[in-house]
Amino acid sequence: MGEAVVLTGMGCISGLGVGVARNWSRTLGGESAIRPIERNGITGVAAWIATQDKPDPAVWRRFGRLDPLSLFALVAATEAVAQAGLEGHCVLEDRTAILLGCGSGGNATIDEAYERLYAHQSKVHPQTIPSSMISAPASHVAMALGVHGPTFVLGSACASSAHALGEAMHMIRSGRVDVAIAGGTEACLTPGSWTAWSALGVLASDTCRPFSRDRRGMVLGEGAAILVLESEAHARSRGATILGELVGYGASSDAAHITAPDREGILRAIRAAYADADVDPTSPALISTHGTGTLLNDASEAQALHAFYGAGLKAHRAVATKSSHGHMIGATGAMEFLLGMVALREGWVPPVLHHLGPDDSCDMVPLALEAEKIGQRLLVSNSFAFGGLNAVLIGRLA
């Protein structure tokens, strides 16, 4: 397996607020960021970041014009690196990688450019391309932290940040780098993006109800979640506090349908993650489900979990935090892994919200509907994206 990979820092921003502590306390407390939204032509429900929590672009004015996509990443990365105690550390110079997942580029910048061009027949802002390109958040984080190592963005829709974490783990295992700053960011609550998502017919009109009867679809969210991964040897050599380990990663492609999930593809990713981690599937785990609240995804995921664990599924506990922070698209896998690792450390599982009762098509026997004390030391975090792109991460308390 190569170098053991540990977690030493975490940072996030979502509709629940800024910072890991606030996001965790509100999630555990059964609060949801999902609420009505009416702004810039958007009408519906979403898990949006309140005005008082919006990052101040002036803090990073030296980088030029920044889309919220980059601003969210900078907030989360700054918190994660500070917790890890790596600010100004020499390892950032050339033994650190940055891997961020994004489902799309700078939507706000693109919307503004199109409005200026088509509605007002005027020139677009000269920084439109550098602000809106999907790789911009990784570049801006590198600039802010002085990272000169491999830096790039992975784009695999809703599995983007899970893939980023898994690939970062392998970079450390192989010895290419000692540290990786990995996770994801998304800022898709703009008129153009919203209109496209609405046309797809997958957005709920009320709220996100994972694995529930009468579930009506997903609810968009926004924000970022970023973690600092290190080789265990490097972390211990500098006396870092170890928050947990990333021990397994499985990825697969359904190669079946561009939007409909496939049970067999999901199973391949779960099996691969367990094989990579060399963990016994009977070991009690907290399963952080993809749990979007859509008809097809919840049913396929539940069927795959039953097929993999069999009767042993009852020994595990499942959570679906999109009911709290919404579907953060490219950032959602990292957000769910982050909250799952905090849950293991705190010994509590947060409740799945808005549940109206079981649905035979997606019966999840171990679903936590109330905050519960847990003793699990293992996390299985699922991310299944449009295009049939799947990623499963396995974390463990050190």
Side-chain angles (χ1 to χ4, degrees), residues 163 248-257 261-276 300-301 303-305 307-308 380 382-384 388-394:
H163 279 129
Y249 164 55
S252 70
S253 169
D254 293 349
H257 195 278
D262 179 70
R263 192 192 79 157
E264 294 306 309
I266 292 171
L267 273 169
R268 285 189 185 92
I270 297 173
R271 291 190 187 109
Y274 268 94
D276 185 49
S300 296
E301 184 172 13
Q303 291 163 16
L305 291 173
F308 180 77
V380 178
N382 296 336
S383 297
F384 311 127
L389 308 179
N390 308 305
V392 175
L393 301 169
I394 297 183

Side-chain angles (χ1 to χ4, degrees), residues 19 37 99 115 145 154 166 197 205 233 293 334:
I37 180 172
L99 286 76
E115 182 179 5
L145 300 174
L154 291 83
W197 277 104
S205 59

Side-chain angles (χ1 to χ4, degrees), residues 302-384:
Q303 291 163 16
L305 291 173
H306 280 285
F308 180 77
Y309 294 105
L313 183 58
K314 295 179 181 179
H316 307 294
R317 214 74 187 120
V319 67
T321 59
K322 286 184 180 70
S323 60
S324 185
H325 54 67
H327 198 328
M328 296 164 64
I329 312 301
T332 204
M335 186 66 171
E336 289 158 358
F337 183 76
L338 182 157
L339 291 173
M341 291 304 297
V342 175
L344 294 189
R345 286 178 57 81
E346 296 294 324
W348 282 90
V349 58
V352 178
L353 306 180
H354 319 303
H355 201 267
L356 299 177
D359 185 317
D360 290 342
S361 71
C362 59
D363 183 24
M364 285 291 290
V365 176
L367 200 64
L369 299 180
E370 297 180 356
E372 299 176 11
K373 192 75 175 172
I374 58 170
Q376 279 91 339
R377 298 180 60 82
L378 199 70
L379 170 70
V380 178
S381 187
N382 296 336
S383 297
F384 311 127

